[in-house]
Amino acid sequence: MLSAPVRRLLRAALPLSCLLLGACALPVSRPPLQHSYRLDAPDVRTAPLPQAVVVQLLPVTAAAGFQTAAMMYSRSPQTLEPYRDSRWLAPPSRLIADAIAAALRRQPWVSAVQQQTVLVDAPWALHCSLQRLEHDVHGSRGTVRLDLTCELADRHGRGVAAHWRFDGSEPVAVNDAAHFAQAAQVLLDRAVDAVVQHTRSAVQAAGTSAAAAGAHGGAGDGG
């Protein structure tokens, strides 16, 4: 026979055990799984130039609505909303800047790309601005759009050597964040290729002009 104190203790513990077991049986509300997407640098290859140069890449600025890591989609020209459970690994302006820097560093005519730390006075400064990177949703199909403008300054010539705009679109068969990210990568590959090509053309033109000026000056001295 159990003593009276023990019986009272068991009676008190039984309801508590039932409550705990009931709590274990309740469905658990878990937050939705968050997906993060990144953008990589394309493998752009160009020919070398007579002299490699240093390029300073200024921070890529972003228009309103594209300054965070949110993946933005639009159902009408007047709306812009973020995907709930998907986001970029970092703000797209930073991902684009890193992709441009990585692509430039691979070029044989670039000796260094300066981003955060300035070690030398770079003769070339590149600034790009992200106007939009969004997923336009229309019915069962959609379109991803990337709008990027860039300016390249020749600091020795004290002027803007090149200015261009990449305004591209890529259709997607499925309107979701994964296909948005895939199409964005396709567009970024084209945009970064344009950045590399325009920058190389400006550097080459400046080198050709400097060589011609030197040759003309040398000929004048000889007269």
Side-chain angles (χ1 to χ4, degrees):
M1 295 292 293
L2 297 175
S3 64
V6 173
R7 288 197 301 270
R8 286 196 297 269
L9 180 61
L10 288 175
R11 284 196 299 269
L14 183 58
L16 179 60
S17 300
C18 293
L19 287 174
L20 292 175
L21 290 174
C24 294
L26 290 175
V28 178
S29 178
R30 294 187 176 88
L33 182 63
Q34 186 77 43
H35 298 279
S36 296
Y37 296 90
R38 63 184 179 184
L39 296 170
D40 296 319
D43 186 16
V44 180
R45 298 179 183 273
T46 58
L49 293 173
Q51 185 175 0
V53 298
V54 177
V55 178
Q56 181 182 0
L57 179 59
L58 302 174
V60 174
T61 55
F66 303 99
Q67 299 166 340
T68 69
M71 298 180 73
M72 308 302 291
Y73 71 91
S74 174
R75 294 188 181 275
S76 71
Q78 293 77 30
T79 62
L80 197 63
E81 301 176 58
Y83 272 90
R84 186 190 65 182
D85 302 328
S86 300
R87 58 192 289 114
W88 297 113
L89 192 61
S93 57
R94 200 172 96 193
L95 297 177
I96 291 172
D98 290 344
I100 293 173
L104 286 173
R105 287 190 180 100
R106 295 170 185 166
Q107 307 313 309
W109 46 272
V110 176
S111 59
V113 176
Q114 298 182 156
Q115 285 181 272
Q116 304 299 328
T117 303
V118 178
L119 300 178
V120 298
D121 183 18
W124 298 94
L126 175 64
H127 173 255
C128 295
S129 177
L130 175 65
Q131 304 303 317
R132 68 173 174 170
L133 175 58
E134 67 184 66
H135 179 188
D136 290 346
V137 179
H138 303 290
S140 61
R141 298 181 65 86
T143 304
V144 175
R145 303 184 185 280
L146 172 62
D147 189 347
L148 187 74
T149 60
C150 296
E151 290 182 341
L152 180 67
D154 179 357
R155 286 176 167 168
H156 290 172
R158 298 183 181 278
V160 176
H163 177 277
W164 66 94
R165 177 185 180 188
F166 177 87
D167 187 5
S169 61
E170 183 72 13
V172 291
V174 180
N175 287 318
D176 61 16
H179 286 79
F180 176 14
Q182 292 173 9
Q185 183 65 65
V186 172
L187 292 172
L188 182 62
D189 290 353
R190 298 177 196 162
V192 173
D193 182 80
V195 169
V196 172
Q197 301 296 343
H198 279 289
T199 304
R200 185 186 184 281
S201 295
V203 172
Q204 183 179 27
T208 301
S209 298
H216 180 73
D221 292 342

